[in-house]
Amino acid sequence: MIEEIVQKQRAYYFEGHTRSLDARREVLRKLRKILLDMHQDIYDAFKLDYNKCEFDVISTEYSLVIQEIDFMLHHLKKFMKPRRVATSLVNIVSSGYIYKEPYGVTLVMSPWNYPLQLAMVPVVAALAAGNTVVLKPSKYAWNVSLVLQKIASNFDPRLFSVVVGGREENQALLNQKFDFIFFTGGDDVGRVVLEKASVHLTPVILELGGKSPCIVMEDADIDMAAKRITWGKYLNAGQTCVAPDHIYVHESVKDTFISRVIEYIQAFYYHDGNISEDFPSIINDKHIERLAGLIDKNKIVFGGHINKDKRLIEPTIMDNVTYDDAIMGEEIFGPIMPILTFAKVDNLLEIFKSQEKPLAFYLFIKNQKEARRIMDLVSYGGGCINDTIMHLTNDKLPFGGIGRSGMGSYHGQKSFEAFSHEKSVLKKQKMELQLKYPPYNEKKKSFIKWFFKLK
């Protein structure tokens, strides 16, 4: 069945159905209407999968997909237009052009933590760029996956199909020849995707993750830092690939910072001493057990309670954490905030050199000269000064990782470019330099040495 889907999409693509501006606009407008019409189905699915409230679905998932569609509709004509570039003296008289060509049949593999946004934003880009697309959502967010399948059922499967399932379906898809693969998930599966893609030399974008650090300097606005870090850390119950994973706090402000974080946790996520009914649950029992194993009860300064029946972990703070703690051995991906202290930031920068490059990096500081120095010296996918996560909301900023945290980027115009091949064309006139034609002599050789500054 999967092989048949890919074959039919390839035939459909070669028939030219996806190439025109009108065809692409029609698909995007249709997709936008379907998403709006199915809003209640989407909200209900998120509630079932991990208790995500309607506000969170709108702000972190739904609105971002609609915004991406609107962005593409507004800019698509400009993006598709061949771009003229300057020519060179050796090609006088000529014109150079860069054409944006669709790759063809594309595969998007999306994760469970933001199952609508991280599935549909790449799908929107693939369709806008003139490709066909097969979407494989994660089986963990099962109800959202079924909604995605229902959305796709409104389209010709030769243009857009959704394949649901687990490892067996993943394997079957990766054994097919795609023209481009976009994967979001963990680095273990990312390696498999890259290995399978190498069989056909298929280009890939890998959006992975890692332990994204956050530094709070001694001159930071501590109240603001606590507020924004608390929000970023516990958003989606910490199940966010760009969440601040662990917090380095200068020793002189650590106690104040922790007290402020506790105040904001209580203000944001508790009501009359009880945790809010809107606080998301952990995606499944497997991840509950994993996260429980990362908590050192002796280092808890807030939270720590786990309700396995509701798959709920309270917002938790651990203090006096070191690199020997289990929580520093892997990406947390849950509502646990480890606090580490430092005295000199340059010592931290030296440590970072030996660690994997993170997907995100956050710095809270007032000294802008020092901020520029630190942000320049640390290697990371993207980040913020005096905020967390919000760099993702700026469609002018490409989003992606580096090293183990991923390769390639997208969002906004970069999304269209990610799913397009830049095809170079040189248009030549009759006039040209005769120098390139044999026979060659000393006069010609002397001229090209002078021309290319070899003398």
Side-chain angles (χ1 to χ4, degrees), residues 26 56 97 106 150 155 167 173 175 187 211 227 251 257 274 285 298 302 304-305 383 411 414 417:
E26 182 181 350
D56 277 355
Y97 296 91
T106 64
K150 188 176 178 181
F155 295 87
R167 291 182 180 178
L173 283 164
N175 284 334
D187 59 352
K211 292 185 73 66
K227 184 178 184 179
E251 59 187 12
F257 174 78
N274 297 312
D285 294 339
N298 296 319
F302 186 88
H305 179 71
H411 282 189
K414 195 68 177 179
E417 294 171 352

Side-chain angles (χ1 to χ4, degrees), residues 31-279:
L31 180 58
R32 190 184 195 281
K33 183 178 186 305
I34 291 167
L35 285 166
L36 293 177
D37 290 345
M38 292 182 62
H39 66 277
Q40 194 59 52
D41 292 339
I42 292 169
Y43 302 149
D44 292 344
F46 273 97
K47 197 70 176 177
L48 288 170
D49 280 335
Y50 55 104
N51 192 44
K52 196 164 183 175
C53 70
E54 186 173 326
F55 182 90
D56 277 355
V57 174
I58 293 171
S59 61
T60 67
E61 306 255 9
Y62 199 22
S63 64
L64 296 177
V65 180
I66 298 298
Q67 285 179 345
E68 191 81 356
I69 293 173
D70 291 344
F71 179 89
M72 290 298 176
L73 285 170
H74 183 72
H75 296 285
L76 192 54
K77 184 175 182 180
K78 179 180 69 176
F79 291 166
M80 289 178 62
K81 186 178 180 180
R83 186 171 82 250
R84 185 168 180 170
V85 296
T87 190
S88 57
L89 284 174
V90 295
N91 282 306
I92 196 169
V93 178
S94 67
S95 303
Y97 296 91
I98 297 174
Y99 289 77
K100 296 293 178 62
E101 177 185 50
Y103 276 109
V105 183
T106 64
L107 171 64
V108 172
M109 303 180 76
S110 59
W112 54 263
N113 60 319
Y114 288 89
L116 180 69
Q117 179 217 142
L118 296 179
M120 293 307 298
V121 169
V123 165
V124 168
L127 295 172
N131 302 279
T132 67
V133 58
V134 178
L135 170 63
K136 171 57 180 65
S138 170
K139 72 171 183 178
Y140 288 166
W142 184 249
N143 291 287
V144 176
S145 294
L146 294 179
V147 170
L148 291 170
Q149 191 175 52
K150 188 176 178 181
I151 291 169
S153 69
N154 292 277
F155 295 87
D156 190 324
R158 297 175 299 169
L159 172 68
F160 176 30
S161 290
V162 171
V163 174
V164 297
R167 291 182 180 178
E168 185 177 339
E169 287 74 18
N170 287 346
Q171 185 72 28
L173 283 164
L174 291 172
N175 284 334
Q176 306 304 311
K177 182 184 184 301
F178 285 93
D179 299 303
F180 187 84
I181 298 174
F182 188 105
F183 171 80
T184 305
D187 59 352
D188 288 342
V189 181
R191 288 188 184 93
V192 175
V193 172
L194 194 58
E195 181 182 355
K196 291 290 187 178
S198 70
V199 174
H200 301 292
L201 297 179
T202 302
V204 299
I205 283 181
L206 302 178
E207 298 296 346
L208 307 177
K211 292 185 73 66
S212 297
C214 177
I215 298 176
V216 180
M217 298 289 285
E218 65 267 37
D219 70 335
D221 182 325
I222 300 302
D223 187 71
M224 181 181 73
K227 184 178 184 179
R228 294 178 180 179
I229 291 170
T230 299
W231 173 81
K233 179 63 183 179
Y234 299 112
L235 179 70
N236 206 35
Q239 299 168 115
T240 303
C241 58
V242 290
D245 181 271
H246 50 289
I247 319 299
Y248 297 97
V249 186
H250 192 272
E251 59 187 12
S252 66
V253 296
K254 186 193 75 167
D255 291 342
T256 304
F257 174 78
I258 290 176
S259 67
R260 292 288 191 277
V261 170
I262 291 172
E263 289 173 8
Y264 279 114
I265 288 175
Q266 292 171 329
F268 291 165
Y269 308 115
Y270 286 81
H271 180 67
D272 292 335
N274 297 312
I275 193 164
S276 169
E277 293 183 359
D278 288 337
F279 195 74

